[in-house]
Amino acid sequence: GYLWLINQLPLEDYLKGMAETGNNNPQDYLKAMAIAERTYALYHLLNPTKHAVRHFTLTASAGDQVYRGYSRQLQSPNVVKAVKETKGLVITYHHQIVVTPYFAQSDGWTKGWEEVWGGGPKPWLKPKYVPYDEGEKLFGHGVGMSAWGAWHMAKNNYNFVEMLKYFYTNIELERVY
């Protein structure tokens, strides 16, 4: 009863077409986003359960990751640069690629995995205080990295490694290809 149009492409090309952030953001923020996006996508490629019944891995919408394709690459050279400069770099926990949700803005705190989606806790997804989001309204599910919080960290000279290690507890960054 359904017709699905499924776009298959190399992971790095997919990331270059992401529309999760704008081109004119700080480069370290764009790198943090590229790594979180890559890790999220690769995790779901390696663990294809979320949309398995419908025979695809990710949606091109806010339900997974907002993807707009090649035209987005042309509009976002700084995003493309961040993807290229972090090629193959992913977030791991005990050397395992993990799910790395992120969202627009917290209400001052991020939330733990089990608080939002139930199931067992994911130790790298602990609630974190986000001073830059303090007193603001929650936009998104609240789990993982607050994009607004990370953007403010970049504006205050935090690098992408510091941002990722703040929002994802006890993780490492590993180059897997």
PDB file of all heavy atoms in Angstrom, residues 154-174:
ATOM      1  N   ALA A 154      30.659  27.180  21.463  1.00  0.00           N
ATOM      2  CA  ALA A 154      31.584  27.529  20.376  1.00  0.00           C
ATOM      3  C   ALA A 154      31.867  29.030  20.379  1.00  0.00           C
ATOM      4  O   ALA A 154      33.017  29.455  20.186  1.00  0.00           O
ATOM      5  CB  ALA A 154      31.014  27.095  19.031  1.00  0.00           C
ATOM      6  N   LYS A 155      30.848  29.831  20.603  1.00  0.00           N
ATOM      7  CA  LYS A 155      31.016  31.291  20.661  1.00  0.00           C
ATOM      8  C   LYS A 155      31.891  31.706  21.847  1.00  0.00           C
ATOM      9  O   LYS A 155      32.469  32.790  21.852  1.00  0.00           O
ATOM     10  CB  LYS A 155      29.659  31.989  20.752  1.00  0.00           C
ATOM     11  CG  LYS A 155      28.902  31.993  19.447  1.00  0.00           C
ATOM     12  CD  LYS A 155      29.601  32.890  18.449  1.00  0.00           C
ATOM     13  CE  LYS A 155      28.715  33.263  17.303  1.00  0.00           C
ATOM     14  NZ  LYS A 155      29.362  34.136  16.348  1.00  0.00           N
ATOM     15  N   ASN A 156      31.981  30.846  22.860  1.00  0.00           N
ATOM     16  CA  ASN A 156      32.817  31.101  24.035  1.00  0.00           C
ATOM     17  C   ASN A 156      34.116  30.303  23.991  1.00  0.00           C
ATOM     18  O   ASN A 156      34.681  29.951  25.022  1.00  0.00           O
ATOM     19  CB  ASN A 156      32.024  30.807  25.311  1.00  0.00           C
ATOM     20  CG  ASN A 156      31.022  31.895  25.599  1.00  0.00           C
ATOM     21  OD1 ASN A 156      31.392  32.990  26.006  1.00  0.00           O
ATOM     22  ND2 ASN A 156      29.756  31.621  25.352  1.00  0.00           N
ATOM     23  N   ASN A 157      34.547  29.984  22.772  1.00  0.00           N
ATOM     24  CA  ASN A 157      35.857  29.376  22.491  1.00  0.00           C
ATOM     25  C   ASN A 157      36.034  27.937  22.953  1.00  0.00           C
ATOM     26  O   ASN A 157      37.165  27.477  23.115  1.00  0.00           O
ATOM     27  CB  ASN A 157      36.984  30.252  23.054  1.00  0.00           C
ATOM     28  CG  ASN A 157      36.986  31.614  22.411  1.00  0.00           C
ATOM     29  OD1 ASN A 157      36.850  31.730  21.187  1.00  0.00           O
ATOM     30  ND2 ASN A 157      37.105  32.654  23.220  1.00  0.00           N
ATOM     31  N   TYR A 158      34.946  27.208  23.132  1.00  0.00           N
ATOM     32  CA  TYR A 158      35.070  25.765  23.341  1.00  0.00           C
ATOM     33  C   TYR A 158      35.312  25.138  21.976  1.00  0.00           C
ATOM     34  O   TYR A 158      34.748  25.572  20.973  1.00  0.00           O
ATOM     35  CB  TYR A 158      33.786  25.167  23.921  1.00  0.00           C
ATOM     36  CG  TYR A 158      33.548  25.464  25.376  1.00  0.00           C
ATOM     37  CD1 TYR A 158      33.036  26.698  25.779  1.00  0.00           C
ATOM     38  CD2 TYR A 158      33.800  24.501  26.340  1.00  0.00           C
ATOM     39  CE1 TYR A 158      32.795  26.967  27.117  1.00  0.00           C
ATOM     40  CE2 TYR A 158      33.563  24.752  27.683  1.00  0.00           C
ATOM     41  CZ  TYR A 158      33.061  25.992  28.062  1.00  0.00           C
ATOM     42  OH  TYR A 158      32.823  26.251  29.376  1.00  0.00           O
ATOM     43  N   ASN A 159      36.140  24.088  21.938  1.00  0.00           N
ATOM     44  CA  ASN A 159      36.332  23.400  20.665  1.00  0.00           C
ATOM     45  C   ASN A 159      35.340  22.239  20.555  1.00  0.00           C
ATOM     46  O   ASN A 159      34.650  21.901  21.519  1.00  0.00           O
ATOM     47  CB  ASN A 159      37.785  22.955  20.475  1.00  0.00           C
ATOM     48  CG  ASN A 159      38.220  21.893  21.468  1.00  0.00           C
ATOM     49  OD1 ASN A 159      37.504  20.927  21.728  1.00  0.00           O
ATOM     50  ND2 ASN A 159      39.402  22.066  22.035  1.00  0.00           N
ATOM     51  N   PHE A 160      35.277  21.635  19.386  1.00  0.00           N
ATOM     52  CA  PHE A 160      34.272  20.592  19.143  1.00  0.00           C
ATOM     53  C   PHE A 160      34.434  19.389  20.071  1.00  0.00           C
ATOM     54  O   PHE A 160      33.446  18.791  20.487  1.00  0.00           O
ATOM     55  CB  PHE A 160      34.246  20.170  17.669  1.00  0.00           C
ATOM     56  CG  PHE A 160      35.446  19.411  17.187  1.00  0.00           C
ATOM     57  CD1 PHE A 160      35.457  18.028  17.189  1.00  0.00           C
ATOM     58  CD2 PHE A 160      36.560  20.079  16.705  1.00  0.00           C
ATOM     59  CE1 PHE A 160      36.553  17.316  16.724  1.00  0.00           C
ATOM     60  CE2 PHE A 160      37.663  19.381  16.241  1.00  0.00           C
ATOM     61  CZ  PHE A 160      37.668  17.992  16.260  1.00  0.00           C
ATOM     62  N   VAL A 161      35.672  19.056  20.428  1.00  0.00           N
ATOM     63  CA  VAL A 161      35.897  17.922  21.334  1.00  0.00           C
ATOM     64  C   VAL A 161      35.307  18.244  22.706  1.00  0.00           C
ATOM     65  O   VAL A 161      34.615  17.416  23.316  1.00  0.00           O
ATOM     66  CB  VAL A 161      37.409  17.585  21.436  1.00  0.00           C
ATOM     67  CG1 VAL A 161      37.658  16.508  22.487  1.00  0.00           C
ATOM     68  CG2 VAL A 161      37.951  17.158  20.085  1.00  0.00           C
ATOM     69  N   GLU A 162      35.567  19.443  23.210  1.00  0.00           N
ATOM     70  CA  GLU A 162      35.036  19.847  24.513  1.00  0.00           C
ATOM     71  C   GLU A 162      33.507  19.850  24.520  1.00  0.00           C
ATOM     72  O   GLU A 162      32.886  19.414  25.488  1.00  0.00           O
ATOM     73  CB  GLU A 162      35.562  21.232  24.885  1.00  0.00           C
ATOM     74  CG  GLU A 162      37.055  21.250  25.153  1.00  0.00           C
ATOM     75  CD  GLU A 162      37.633  22.656  25.239  1.00  0.00           C
ATOM     76  OE1 GLU A 162      37.201  23.544  24.464  1.00  0.00           O
ATOM     77  OE2 GLU A 162      38.522  22.856  26.090  1.00  0.00           O
ATOM     78  N   MET A 163      32.909  20.325  23.441  1.00  0.00           N
ATOM     79  CA  MET A 163      31.446  20.338  23.356  1.00  0.00           C
ATOM     80  C   MET A 163      30.882  18.922  23.413  1.00  0.00           C
ATOM     81  O   MET A 163      29.955  18.639  24.183  1.00  0.00           O
ATOM     82  CB  MET A 163      30.993  21.005  22.056  1.00  0.00           C
ATOM     83  CG  MET A 163      31.179  22.489  22.021  1.00  0.00           C
ATOM     84  SD  MET A 163      30.631  23.121  20.420  1.00  0.00           S
ATOM     85  CE  MET A 163      32.183  23.686  19.769  1.00  0.00           C
ATOM     86  N   LEU A 164      31.425  18.043  22.592  1.00  0.00           N
ATOM     87  CA  LEU A 164      30.914  16.672  22.535  1.00  0.00           C
ATOM     88  C   LEU A 164      31.127  15.947  23.857  1.00  0.00           C
ATOM     89  O   LEU A 164      30.231  15.239  24.333  1.00  0.00           O
ATOM     90  CB  LEU A 164      31.576  15.913  21.384  1.00  0.00           C
ATOM     91  CG  LEU A 164      31.193  16.416  19.991  1.00  0.00           C
ATOM     92  CD1 LEU A 164      32.087  15.789  18.932  1.00  0.00           C
ATOM     93  CD2 LEU A 164      29.721  16.173  19.690  1.00  0.00           C
ATOM     94  N   LYS A 165      32.280  16.123  24.470  1.00  0.00           N
ATOM     95  CA  LYS A 165      32.553  15.444  25.741  1.00  0.00           C
ATOM     96  C   LYS A 165      31.728  16.022  26.883  1.00  0.00           C
ATOM     97  O   LYS A 165      31.530  15.359  27.894  1.00  0.00           O
ATOM     98  CB  LYS A 165      34.044  15.480  26.057  1.00  0.00           C
ATOM     99  CG  LYS A 165      34.822  14.529  25.160  1.00  0.00           C
ATOM    100  CD  LYS A 165      36.237  14.342  25.624  1.00  0.00           C
ATOM    101  CE  LYS A 165      36.875  13.241  24.802  1.00  0.00           C
ATOM    102  NZ  LYS A 165      38.099  12.731  25.414  1.00  0.00           N
ATOM    103  N   TYR A 166      31.254  17.249  26.735  1.00  0.00           N
ATOM    104  CA  TYR A 166      30.362  17.807  27.748  1.00  0.00           C
ATOM    105  C   TYR A 166      28.977  17.168  27.649  1.00  0.00           C
ATOM    106  O   TYR A 166      28.416  16.720  28.640  1.00  0.00           O
ATOM    107  CB  TYR A 166      30.235  19.333  27.611  1.00  0.00           C
ATOM    108  CG  TYR A 166      29.315  19.893  28.662  1.00  0.00           C
ATOM    109  CD1 TYR A 166      29.755  20.054  29.971  1.00  0.00           C
ATOM    110  CD2 TYR A 166      27.988  20.187  28.365  1.00  0.00           C
ATOM    111  CE1 TYR A 166      28.902  20.509  30.959  1.00  0.00           C
ATOM    112  CE2 TYR A 166      27.123  20.653  29.345  1.00  0.00           C
ATOM    113  CZ  TYR A 166      27.586  20.812  30.640  1.00  0.00           C
ATOM    114  OH  TYR A 166      26.729  21.253  31.621  1.00  0.00           O
ATOM    115  N   PHE A 167      28.425  17.131  26.457  1.00  0.00           N
ATOM    116  CA  PHE A 167      27.050  16.657  26.296  1.00  0.00           C
ATOM    117  C   PHE A 167      26.929  15.138  26.319  1.00  0.00           C
ATOM    118  O   PHE A 167      25.877  14.615  26.702  1.00  0.00           O
ATOM    119  CB  PHE A 167      26.436  17.215  25.015  1.00  0.00           C
ATOM    120  CG  PHE A 167      26.065  18.663  25.143  1.00  0.00           C
ATOM    121  CD1 PHE A 167      26.822  19.634  24.535  1.00  0.00           C
ATOM    122  CD2 PHE A 167      24.972  19.049  25.901  1.00  0.00           C
ATOM    123  CE1 PHE A 167      26.489  20.979  24.654  1.00  0.00           C
ATOM    124  CE2 PHE A 167      24.627  20.380  26.038  1.00  0.00           C
ATOM    125  CZ  PHE A 167      25.384  21.355  25.413  1.00  0.00           C
ATOM    126  N   TYR A 168      27.954  14.416  25.902  1.00  0.00           N
ATOM    127  CA  TYR A 168      27.929  12.950  25.901  1.00  0.00           C
ATOM    128  C   TYR A 168      28.959  12.470  26.925  1.00  0.00           C
ATOM    129  O   TYR A 168      30.158  12.612  26.719  1.00  0.00           O
ATOM    130  CB  TYR A 168      28.231  12.404  24.500  1.00  0.00           C
ATOM    131  CG  TYR A 168      27.281  12.915  23.431  1.00  0.00           C
ATOM    132  CD1 TYR A 168      27.698  13.846  22.485  1.00  0.00           C
ATOM    133  CD2 TYR A 168      25.970  12.455  23.375  1.00  0.00           C
ATOM    134  CE1 TYR A 168      26.829  14.308  21.501  1.00  0.00           C
ATOM    135  CE2 TYR A 168      25.091  12.921  22.397  1.00  0.00           C
ATOM    136  CZ  TYR A 168      25.532  13.850  21.465  1.00  0.00           C
ATOM    137  OH  TYR A 168      24.666  14.305  20.502  1.00  0.00           O
ATOM    138  N   THR A 169      28.494  11.900  28.021  1.00  0.00           N
ATOM    139  CA  THR A 169      29.309  11.556  29.184  1.00  0.00           C
ATOM    140  C   THR A 169      30.268  10.396  28.911  1.00  0.00           C
ATOM    141  O   THR A 169      29.859   9.354  28.396  1.00  0.00           O
ATOM    142  CB  THR A 169      28.384  11.185  30.362  1.00  0.00           C
ATOM    143  OG1 THR A 169      27.492  12.280  30.595  1.00  0.00           O
ATOM    144  CG2 THR A 169      29.173  10.896  31.626  1.00  0.00           C
ATOM    145  N   ASN A 170      31.531  10.603  29.285  1.00  0.00           N
ATOM    146  CA  ASN A 170      32.570   9.555  29.239  1.00  0.00           C
ATOM    147  C   ASN A 170      32.741   8.924  27.863  1.00  0.00           C
ATOM    148  O   ASN A 170      32.976   7.717  27.745  1.00  0.00           O
ATOM    149  CB  ASN A 170      32.304   8.468  30.280  1.00  0.00           C
ATOM    150  CG  ASN A 170      32.425   9.015  31.686  1.00  0.00           C
ATOM    151  OD1 ASN A 170      33.251   9.875  31.967  1.00  0.00           O
ATOM    152  ND2 ASN A 170      31.577   8.535  32.572  1.00  0.00           N
ATOM    153  N   ILE A 171      32.628   9.719  26.833  1.00  0.00           N
ATOM    154  CA  ILE A 171      32.793   9.201  25.472  1.00  0.00           C
ATOM    155  C   ILE A 171      34.214   9.465  24.977  1.00  0.00           C
ATOM    156  O   ILE A 171      34.974  10.222  25.591  1.00  0.00           O
ATOM    157  CB  ILE A 171      31.769   9.837  24.489  1.00  0.00           C
ATOM    158  CG1 ILE A 171      31.827  11.385  24.510  1.00  0.00           C
ATOM    159  CG2 ILE A 171      30.372   9.376  24.841  1.00  0.00           C
ATOM    160  CD1 ILE A 171      32.611  11.997  23.400  1.00  0.00           C
ATOM    161  N   GLU A 172      34.537   8.839  23.869  1.00  0.00           N
ATOM    162  CA  GLU A 172      35.787   9.098  23.163  1.00  0.00           C
ATOM    163  C   GLU A 172      35.442   9.405  21.712  1.00  0.00           C
ATOM    164  O   GLU A 172      34.354   9.034  21.238  1.00  0.00           O
ATOM    165  CB  GLU A 172      36.729   7.885  23.234  1.00  0.00           C
ATOM    166  CG  GLU A 172      37.213   7.565  24.635  1.00  0.00           C
ATOM    167  CD  GLU A 172      38.009   8.682  25.283  1.00  0.00           C
ATOM    168  OE1 GLU A 172      38.735   9.395  24.566  1.00  0.00           O
ATOM    169  OE2 GLU A 172      37.896   8.854  26.511  1.00  0.00           O
ATOM    170  N   LEU A 173      36.350  10.030  21.036  1.00  0.00           N
ATOM    171  CA  LEU A 173      36.204  10.237  19.603  1.00  0.00           C
ATOM    172  C   LEU A 173      37.199   9.305  18.930  1.00  0.00           C
ATOM    173  O   LEU A 173      38.381   9.291  19.281  1.00  0.00           O
ATOM    174  CB  LEU A 173      36.505  11.690  19.217  1.00  0.00           C
ATOM    175  CG  LEU A 173      35.537  12.712  19.806  1.00  0.00           C
ATOM    176  CD1 LEU A 173      35.945  14.111  19.408  1.00  0.00           C
ATOM    177  CD2 LEU A 173      34.107  12.434  19.365  1.00  0.00           C
ATOM    178  N   GLU A 174      36.717   8.514  17.985  1.00  0.00           N
ATOM    179  CA  GLU A 174      37.565   7.563  17.270  1.00  0.00           C
ATOM    180  C   GLU A 174      37.321   7.704  15.779  1.00  0.00           C
ATOM    181  O   GLU A 174      36.187   7.864  15.335  1.00  0.00           O
ATOM    182  CB  GLU A 174      37.255   6.122  17.703  1.00  0.00           C
ATOM    183  CG  GLU A 174      37.594   5.835  19.159  1.00  0.00           C
ATOM    184  CD  GLU A 174      37.377   4.395  19.526  1.00  0.00           C
ATOM    185  OE1 GLU A 174      37.701   3.502  18.708  1.00  0.00           O
ATOM    186  OE2 GLU A 174      36.871   4.144  20.630  1.00  0.00           O
TER     187      GLU A 174
END
